[in-house]
Amino acid sequence: MDAVGDDVTSRSYLAASALIAIACSNPAGPGLDGTAHSLAELEERLETLRGNLKVPGLSVGISEGDRIVWTAGLGFADLEQHKPATQSTDFHIASLTKGFAGILIVKLVSEGKLSLDDPVTKYGVSIPNNTGIKVRHLANMTSEGTPGQSFSYNGDRFALLQKVIEAASGKSFAQLVVERIVQPAGLLRTAPNVYNDAFAASGLNRDAFLANFAVGYNASGSSFTRSGFPTEFSPAAGMISTVEDMLMYSIAIDSDRLLTASERSMLFEPAKSTTGTTLPYAIGWFSQNIRGTMIQWAYGYWVGNSSLIIRVPSMKRAFIALANSDGLSSRFPLGSGNLESSPIASEFLNAFVFGNAPLQ
């Protein structure tokens, strides 16, 4: 694989490369004090962060109510071909796939096809030293140690829900995602991993899909090397989508196209530990009170890709960021439930959730 130097990166990357040595105490890098006061300023600040975080291409967007109000493509989806990232570029979304699985789980519970209190062994899930692990423990990341006692983010454990979903429904996870989420939400550029046989469930043309796909990269100093992509697909990771589609997905979650009001409540209700402590995770989503506001969010972190979705139900606002390196997530303790450790998340939260920046 060939390393790609700064000469083929976009806009401000040459200037930003001097800032790449990011101190742990200031992971956003220098020059980002304060808060954006407009969408134009947000875009400028995200462009600086893109360079600081070693992200070749970044697609971002915001929705409010039932409409997409802003999108932007920054940098390149393909550095070698100088192909810009846009709002319709396809990216791996990694662990944002868990949110899709969460929706399917609550639908199956609502339909009486499974119970969150079913033992996972009922569905053929075998876990060494199983001490009473239930479906809810896999779904809300409390299956390690004493089941239900504490939260520990574990994608491998979450992936075991594939057997639960498929046994309860009689269909493959890929089929259900397409039939129950992708099609009802009108997502035209969202599908199971294009490098996995599960992609066939989408009914899309593989070659056409690949032509719009962002190339994955690893950062090495001030250059990038093509990374390739994982071929796996499960409830834990593997969906591919665009910023536009992910914003439409979030809008659909708030409508009755995907979930009833009671199903939404089930999906986003934070787990309680066995001692009554509120935990940061619900079913496939982090769900937390942050500075007095309920925030529903998820992040993705995999080879050659990273991603972020933030939903603010009280404002009916959502923010999406998709990247073709691991730079959005690799430096930050997001898995512990610390959303504000992400400078990308903080830019949106400070300006458009806790601040007064206008969405126009």
Side-chain angles (χ1 to χ4, degrees):
M1 299 183 203
D2 297 325
V4 181
D6 287 344
D7 58 322
V8 295
T9 55
S10 73
R11 286 195 257 175
S12 65
Y13 191 80
L14 277 173
S17 63
L19 307 176
I20 280 176
I22 299 171
C24 293
S25 60
N26 184 18
L32 282 175
D33 294 335
T35 300
H37 296 93
S38 66
L39 287 169
E41 190 175 338
L42 174 67
E43 185 169 340
E44 292 175 0
R45 294 168 71 87
L46 292 179
E47 171 62 10
T48 300
L49 279 172
R50 186 186 67 77
N52 292 351
L53 299 177
K54 302 182 182 180
V55 172
L58 178 65
S59 291
V60 290
I62 297 174
S63 65
E64 183 177 50
D66 61 358
R67 65 191 183 96
I68 297 172
V69 298
W70 173 78
T71 59
L74 307 172
F76 287 97
D78 186 324
L79 289 170
E80 292 84 356
Q81 300 300 317
H82 290 210
K83 184 177 180 180
T86 73
Q87 69 273 18
S88 56
T89 298
D90 292 300
F91 289 84
H92 261 293
I93 64 171
S95 286
L96 303 198
T97 304
K98 292 180 175 68
F100 287 73
I103 290 173
L104 296 179
I105 288 167
V106 300
K107 295 296 292 185
L108 291 171
V109 170
S110 180
E111 294 163 3
K113 294 179 179 178
L114 69 83
S115 168
L116 292 175
D117 288 319
D118 284 339
V120 296
T121 52
K122 177 178 178 179
Y123 302 98
V125 177
S126 177
I127 299 174
N129 304 313
N130 185 340
T131 56
I133 297 172
K134 300 177 180 179
V135 172
R136 71 167 66 252
H137 299 138
L138 292 182
N140 62 28
M141 306 277 191
T142 62
S143 69
E144 297 183 77
T146 301
Q149 187 173 69
S150 60
F151 166 76
S152 180
Y153 193 92
N154 187 326
D156 290 338
R157 284 287 179 99
F158 196 92
L160 297 174
L161 288 165
Q162 182 159 348
K163 283 190 174 182
V164 175
I165 291 169
E166 293 181 344
S169 68
K171 293 186 176 183
S172 72
F173 175 60
Q175 284 178 293
L176 284 178
V177 165
V178 172
E179 293 174 6
R180 305 296 295 269
I181 301 175
V182 172
Q183 291 175 346
L187 310 182
L188 302 179
R189 299 291 313 176
T190 300
N193 196 339
V194 70
Y195 296 112
N196 188 283
D197 289 344
F199 178 80
S202 71
L204 299 173
N205 180 281
R206 187 182 299 269
D207 291 337
F209 205 86
L210 284 169
N212 192 53
F213 199 34
V215 175
Y217 293 94
N218 288 325
S220 177
S222 59
S223 64
F224 292 101
T225 303
R226 284 179 177 244
S227 67
F229 280 123
T231 59
E232 293 88 345
F233 176 69
S234 78
M239 291 293 289
I240 294 170
S241 191
T242 69
V243 157
E244 287 181 325
D245 262 19
M246 288 301 291
L247 290 169
M248 291 175 61
Y249 161 69
S250 181
I251 291 168
I253 288 173
D254 287 326
S255 73
D256 60 1
R257 282 178 287 163
L258 297 184
L259 297 163
T260 65
S262 62
E263 289 166 349
R264 269 192 299 278
S265 295
M266 188 193 315
L267 181 67
F268 293 115
E269 180 67 27
K272 297 274 191 183
S273 74
T274 52
T275 60
T277 302
T278 299
L279 301 175
Y281 210 70
I283 299 179
W285 295 80
F286 287 91
S287 188
Q288 296 172 283
N289 186 314
I290 299 176
R291 292 195 245 170
T293 300
M294 285 304 301
I295 307 290
Q296 301 157 354
W297 64 280
Y299 76 101
Y301 172 22
W302 214 4
V303 177
N305 63 98
S306 50
S307 51
L308 185 67
I309 180 171
I310 303 171
R311 289 171 33 84
V312 189
S314 64
M315 304 175 77
K316 292 193 174 179
R317 289 183 180 177
F319 172 81
I320 309 291
L322 305 179
N324 59 347
S325 77
D326 66 11
L328 296 189
S329 304
S330 60
R331 304 166 189 256
F332 312 111
L334 293 166
S336 65
N338 188 354
L339 176 60
E340 292 184 281
S341 69
S342 161
I344 296 285
S346 293
E347 286 292 341
F348 169 68
L349 293 172
N350 290 338
F352 299 99
V353 178
F354 307 124
N356 299 312
L359 281 177
Q360 56 186 16

